[in-house]
């Protein structure tokens, strides 16, 4: 069961401090990134609680249907299961989700269409790539294999926290929404500050700073996050 109060506190902290996808991945022992997902527009930053929805079998019928349930401030993770590289949606759906449902951002686990319009409107969208050939607006039965994938992905994404920026998208799983992990987020921010202090003001090299972590001998309030 997710601690909703801590979940909200963690999202607020990430937004206020612009904690990057890179920093969060470091806190997760260099894991958590969604491979292959890239930003559509540079300079975007979005973070929030994930809502998982999906299209399947070359159809986006269920995406339209499930988009009705999106809540303001959510990061909407939209899966494409057995869609044969077809675009999951384009500008119309992106506009509806971001403008009218007031989602924080969209992470598409597949291709999109209408790239020129998504770029022109500066939508906070991340995806694998683009394809002018879209999915069909037809209702399709879900196979047992699709149901299994949906359950697995929904269990992982729903209620997790996403951090989306120019580097990519990192997911904080639900089981990491803990006081201990919140402390690690705070530590990574402090570590970042001291690393740059070592390079910019103490004129240390990166070997002494990053590898040997000589600053740990001088300030015991910092921990080694890679242990």
């Amino acid at each position: 069961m997710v601690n909703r109060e801590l979940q909200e506190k963690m999202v607020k902290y990430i937004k206020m401090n612009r904690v990057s996808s890179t920093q969060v991945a470091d806190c997760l022992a260099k894991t958590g990134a969604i491979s292959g997902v890239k930003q559509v527009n540079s300079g975007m930053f979005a973070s929030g609680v994930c809502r998982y929805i999906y299209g399947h079998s070359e159809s986006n019928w269920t995406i339209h249907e499930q988009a009705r349930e999106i809540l303001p401030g959510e990061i909407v993770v939209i899966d494409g299961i057995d869609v044969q590289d077809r675009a999951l949606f384009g500008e119309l759906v992106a506009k509806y989700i971001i403008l009218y449902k007031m989602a924080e951002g969209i992470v598409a686990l597949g291709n999109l269409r209408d790239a020129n319009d998504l770029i022109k409107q500066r939508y906070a969208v991340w995806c694998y790539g683009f394809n002018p050939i879209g999915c069909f607006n037809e209702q399709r039965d879900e196979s047992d294999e699709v149901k299994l994938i949906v359950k697995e992905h929904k269990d992982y994404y729903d209620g997790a926290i996403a951090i989306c920026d120019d580097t990519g998208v990192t997911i904080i799983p639900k089981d990491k929404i803990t006081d201990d992990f919140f402390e690690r987020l705070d530590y990574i921010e402090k570590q970042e500050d001291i690393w740059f202090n070592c390079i910019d003001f103490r004129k240390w090299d990166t070997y002494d700073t990053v590898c040997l972590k000589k600053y740990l001998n001088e300030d015991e309030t910092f921990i080694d996050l890679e242990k």
Side-chain angles (χ1 to χ4, degrees):
M1 191 71 177
V2 178
N3 183 328
R4 300 297 179 187
E5 184 177 346
L6 183 57
Q7 185 187 55
E8 183 179 336
K9 179 181 176 183
M10 198 174 287
V11 170
K12 184 178 179 180
Y13 180 87
I14 290 167
K15 288 182 177 180
M16 285 182 64
N17 292 279
R18 302 282 286 196
V19 182
S20 70
S21 62
T22 300
Q23 291 172 304
V24 175
D26 282 350
C27 288
L28 291 166
K30 301 189 185 299
T31 64
I34 303 178
S35 180
V37 171
K38 299 179 177 64
Q39 85 284 8
V40 173
N41 291 294
S42 63
M44 295 284 117
F45 180 89
S47 182
V49 176
C50 295
R51 174 180 293 271
Y52 174 82
I53 67 177
Y54 62 93
H56 70 93
S57 309
E58 299 187 20
S59 168
N60 59 15
W61 181 281
T62 50
I63 293 175
H64 293 286
E65 184 179 33
Q66 295 162 13
R68 293 172 163 184
E69 307 303 320
I70 294 168
L71 298 176
E74 291 181 326
I75 299 289
V76 186
V77 179
I78 306 181
D79 207 352
I81 304 168
D82 191 25
V83 296
Q84 310 303 324
D85 290 328
R86 292 178 181 274
L88 300 177
F89 57 89
E91 184 194 12
L92 183 70
V93 172
K95 181 176 184 177
Y96 173 70
I97 290 175
I98 291 177
L99 205 61
Y100 295 105
K101 300 302 289 184
M102 296 185 289
E104 183 79 6
I106 297 171
V107 177
L109 307 181
N111 293 322
L112 300 183
R113 62 197 304 185
D114 302 331
N116 53 315
D117 295 305
L118 297 176
I119 293 168
K120 179 181 178 181
Q121 300 301 329
R122 297 283 296 167
Y123 289 131
V125 176
W126 286 256
C127 65
Y128 288 161
F130 298 100
N131 187 351
I133 300 173
C135 286
F136 296 99
N137 303 319
E138 297 174 359
Q139 191 169 18
R140 303 277 173 88
D141 292 333
E142 294 184 12
S143 66
D144 290 339
E145 183 180 2
V146 168
K147 290 177 181 177
L148 189 63
I149 293 171
V150 167
K151 183 182 185 307
E152 179 183 338
H153 290 189
K154 188 177 181 66
D155 286 347
Y156 178 72
Y157 286 110
D158 263 355
I161 295 172
I163 300 87
C164 317
D165 56 24
D166 280 351
T167 307
V169 176
T170 300
I171 300 294
I172 302 175
K174 293 189 287 290
D175 63 359
K176 293 294 185 181
I177 302 176
T178 62
D179 289 318
D180 178 68
F181 191 78
F182 185 84
E183 289 181 10
R184 292 177 73 82
L185 287 175
D186 189 47
Y187 274 121
I188 199 74
E189 280 289 288
K190 293 176 181 176
Q191 181 177 264
E192 192 89 350
D193 290 340
I194 199 169
W195 278 6
F196 279 100
N197 178 274
C198 291
I199 298 298
D200 293 334
F201 298 103
R202 303 186 190 190
K203 302 305 179 185
W204 291 2
D205 58 30
T206 56
Y207 181 73
D208 280 342
T209 303
V210 178
C211 296
L212 298 184
K213 297 181 173 63
K214 289 176 64 175
Y215 57 86
L216 292 174
N217 299 324
E218 301 180 13
D219 190 341
E220 295 182 355
T221 63
F222 291 95
I223 63 172
D224 185 351
L225 291 173
E226 295 184 8
K227 287 185 178 179

